[in-house]
Amino acid sequence: MRTARRISQVFFLFFFLWLIWRATYPYEGPIPVDLFLRGSPLVAVATILATRSWVTHVFLGLVVLALTVPLGRVFCGWVCPLGSTLDVVHKISLRKRKELKKPSPTRWRWVKFAILVGILVGAALGTQMLWPFDPIVILTRTADVALYPLFTIAVSSLLAVMVRVPFLEGAAYRAYSFLHAAWFPLQQPSFRLVELFFVLFVVILALEKASSRFWCRNLCPLGALLGFFSQFRLLHRQVDESCTACGLCRARCRMNAVEDDYVTTSAVECIACGECVSVCAPRATHYAFRKPARSGTVDLDRRRFMGATVASLATVGLLGIGFADRGRRGSVIRPPGALPEADFLDRCVRCQECVKVCSSTGGCLQPSLWESGLIGLWTPVAKPREGYCEYNCNLCGQVCPTGAIQRLPLEVKQRTKMGLAFFDKSRCIPWYRGEDCLVCEEHCPVPDKAIRFDQRMVRRPDGSEGLVKLPYVVEELCIGCGICATKCPVVGQGGIFLTNANEQRWIDSQFSSQ
């Protein structure tokens, strides 16, 4: 059983990393790269509660939740890539011998249930709060904006060194061409907040020094949700009369699910990892589909439940009265296909899949900071001065696990307006300096060109006069892709900028202007 579990963990961990790798241009294949996010039961439940509607994207998560009833928390022990990562970290740590002597305390188990209550109460009130806590979201976000860029820059640096070695030069160039044609982005990706995401991930790993799977035992709300349904499981740990009470099963249990009598097992905490079976010398322990003599319960009393509920209500209230741009002030530009702002915030889980896949083309999407207030923290926003929305790309909608960004056909996406460009006449070269500059018009991807020129006689700053092509924006044609702002040669603040004026949001298969 332990061998089968390890094989499963390795398979799903590498499968997860392969999907992360595949989330780049050109993205092709029958397997959605957001498969693990769609399969998270917490993402499914919280998204459906927050939107108060059926969300087809997250159906797989409900299937995983349903399987918890007969099988228990096998997702945590056999599938979850973050759990597998923690097991690897713990394996190479130096805590193993100490834990064999004294099992870790259980006094913090209630915390994960309190976090779960807070997330579900917030979702029921229309505020999505799972994104700092869901393990699949955490690992996806870290892999997308931190681990993947670190890997690409490490491999690129290695190939750059190999090019300088005469007998490796040819192989290095071939490897470089292959990787950039099939896997690597066109340019080295860089993201905002990457340091924060990486530090949070390292903190979770560092908690392994306290105990094995400290995050899973005490903090993971997904584990709490699965644990609640796992109370009704049919697959249980069984101990027969040949047990010698040696204590190895309890010492080796990575979730501390075995109680002091070595017989009682918490059905809520057990992840069916098989460690207790593997270390049992008299073979007194096994798993079977029948009711055990004794079992554990959810570790959350009424006082803590009420405390978590009140804390969630207070958080939702503060977020509701706090600053939120909500798209009205022009500082928040969402990707094409985004739902109306309120629905978008309810569905977006801040996984950064869209941000990562965008980095392989124009690279306009970045995690937001305070642009739309705390309620919009880490949601994807377009930063046209840093990158643009590629005209022939619609990948952000293809990798969104909850439908916050709808999957638009390419021809529809090319007509979707993200915003509207405006010229800053105090910065634009033709308007300010009286010199021709055709860069913005040359790069405009719209077939009929949304940027055109009005040729006039102007007086330059030095007093001379000349005929200059002054650019202007045709509002009916501009889709707000931002390439004009990205390519503008003006140093510092560009001569053209974007707002979300004229943006179109997707709802019920039709466009609605906001």
Side-chain angles (χ1 to χ4, degrees):
M1 183 175 180
R2 181 174 61 175
T3 301
R5 186 256 306 166
R6 287 177 175 175
I7 293 173
S8 175
Q9 285 184 295
V10 171
F11 170 78
F12 283 109
L13 179 58
F14 278 94
F15 185 39
F16 171 83
L17 295 175
W18 181 76
L19 292 178
I20 292 291
W21 188 286
R22 288 292 298 138
T24 187
Y25 182 87
Y27 165 62
E28 298 175 353
I31 302 177
V33 295
D34 56 347
L35 184 64
F36 277 82
L37 290 164
R38 295 188 183 197
S40 169
L42 184 58
V43 169
V45 173
T47 301
I48 291 174
L49 282 176
T51 59
R52 298 176 179 84
S53 62
W54 171 254
V55 181
T56 306
H57 294 71
V58 297
F59 174 73
L60 181 60
L62 299 180
V63 174
V64 174
L65 189 61
L67 290 176
T68 305
V69 175
L71 301 177
R73 289 177 59 181
V74 292
F75 180 85
C76 299
W78 293 62
V79 178
C80 180
L82 181 57
S84 301
T85 303
L86 295 177
D87 285 345
V88 172
V89 172
H90 185 72
K91 189 71 174 178
I92 61 177
S93 69
L94 302 178
R95 300 285 301 181
K96 188 174 181 179
R97 291 184 179 179
K98 186 174 181 179
E99 285 191 356
L100 286 175
K101 296 178 180 179
K102 183 179 180 181
S104 301
T106 61
R107 62 179 178 274
W108 300 111
R109 280 180 177 174
W110 65 271
V111 176
K112 63 177 179 288
F113 293 103
I115 294 174
L116 174 65
V117 170
I119 290 173
L120 297 183
V121 170
L125 296 175
T127 301
Q128 185 69 271
M129 296 191 296
L130 73 85
W131 41 275
F133 304 107
D134 185 275
I136 308 300
V137 172
I138 290 173
L139 190 57
T140 300
R141 182 167 55 229
T142 305
D144 281 338
V145 303
L147 302 183
Y148 175 75
L150 283 174
F151 179 77
T152 57
I153 196 171
V155 173
S156 298
S157 301
L158 177 61
L159 293 176
V161 173
M162 292 174 59
V163 167
R164 301 185 179 185
V165 181
F167 62 89
L168 296 177
E169 181 179 2
Y173 275 117
R174 288 192 295 272
Y176 182 88
S177 300
F178 170 76
L179 290 173
H180 280 268
W183 299 99
F184 278 17
L186 300 177
Q187 59 184 5
Q188 175 61 39
S190 59
F191 305 103
R192 302 195 303 174
L193 304 179
V194 61
E195 301 88 354
L196 175 60
F197 297 150
F198 187 74
V199 168
L200 292 176
F201 178 65
V202 170
V203 168
I204 293 175
L205 299 184
L207 291 174
E208 286 297 295
K209 298 296 274 183
S211 69
S212 65
R213 290 211 178 200
F214 183 93
W215 164 265
C216 306
R217 293 183 185 189
N218 305 307
L219 302 175
C220 180
L222 174 56
L225 178 64
L226 297 175
F228 176 81
F229 283 85
S230 186
Q231 295 179 96
F232 316 107
R233 67 197 297 169
L234 302 178
L235 180 66
H236 289 272
R237 173 177 177 265
Q238 308 286 337
V239 181
D240 60 35
E241 62 278 0
S242 61
C243 174
T244 60
C246 65
L248 283 177
C249 56
R250 186 164 194 264
R252 291 292 293 273
C253 180
R254 62 193 61 216
M255 293 296 293
N256 213 4
V258 180
E259 303 297 339
D260 293 337
D261 60 1
Y262 312 126
V263 176
T264 304
T265 308
S266 173
V268 175
E269 302 296 332
C270 177
I271 59 175
C273 65
E275 288 291 334
C276 55
V277 177
S278 66
V279 299
C280 185
R283 297 290 184 264
T285 305
H286 62 281
Y287 281 82
F289 285 96
R290 64 173 180 267
K291 186 71 174 177
R294 296 181 295 276
S295 182
T297 58
V298 171
D299 204 349
L300 185 68
D301 57 30
R302 182 182 301 177
R303 179 174 59 85
R304 288 168 175 165
F305 175 83
M306 293 303 300
T309 301
V310 171
S312 180
L313 292 173
T315 301
V316 171
L318 290 173
L319 291 175
I321 64 175
F323 168 80
D325 187 290
R326 300 190 187 281
R328 293 193 295 268
R329 297 174 178 85
S331 61
V332 176
I333 303 173
R334 299 298 186 189
L339 295 173
E341 190 68 10
D343 296 330
F344 178 83
L345 294 176
D346 287 343
R347 287 207 193 190
C348 179
V349 295
R350 286 75 160 171
C351 63
Q352 311 305 323
E353 281 280 80
C354 58
V355 172
K356 191 258 185 183
V357 77
C358 183
S359 70
S360 64
T361 54
C364 75
L365 294 183
Q366 291 287 338
S368 67
L369 191 54
W370 306 114
E371 292 93 330
S372 57
L374 186 60
I375 196 171
L377 187 67
W378 299 357
T379 54
V381 293
K383 292 295 178 180
R385 194 60 175 152
E386 302 174 18
Y388 60 93
C389 179
E390 170 58 47
Y391 187 68
N392 294 311
C393 173
N394 60 350
L395 295 182
C396 55
Q398 296 185 45
V399 302
C400 182
T402 61
I405 305 173
Q406 293 291 292
R407 179 178 298 193
L408 303 183
L410 185 59
E411 62 275 10
V412 175
K413 180 265 179 186
Q414 291 173 342
R415 300 194 304 269
T416 303
K417 296 182 178 182
M418 296 171 57
L420 181 62
F422 294 88
F423 281 99
D424 184 347
K425 296 182 180 181
S426 66
R427 302 284 297 170
C428 177
I429 292 175
W431 285 100
Y432 174 62
R433 293 167 51 182
E435 301 175 4
D436 284 336
C437 177
L438 311 178
V439 173
C440 53
E441 190 270 346
E442 289 175 341
H443 285 91
C444 182
V446 178
D448 295 331
K449 294 293 182 181
I451 296 178
R452 297 178 184 176
F453 298 103
D454 184 10
Q455 193 164 337
R456 300 181 193 174
M457 186 69 69
V458 301
R459 184 180 296 275
R460 300 185 178 95
D462 60 1
S464 62
E465 294 184 351
L467 202 60
V468 178
K469 293 181 177 180
L470 300 176
Y472 65 94
V473 177
V474 181
E475 293 190 12
E476 294 77 15
L477 298 178
C478 180
I479 59 174
C481 66
I483 192 171
C484 52
T486 305
K487 301 297 183 181
C488 178
V490 176
V491 177
Q493 182 177 335
I496 188 169
F497 62 94
L498 265 68
T499 74
N500 59 16
N502 292 350
E503 71 171 350
Q504 293 174 305
R505 296 295 184 99
W506 184 267
I507 181 170
D508 295 332
S509 302
Q510 294 181 352
F511 290 115
S512 63
S513 298
Q514 291 192 339

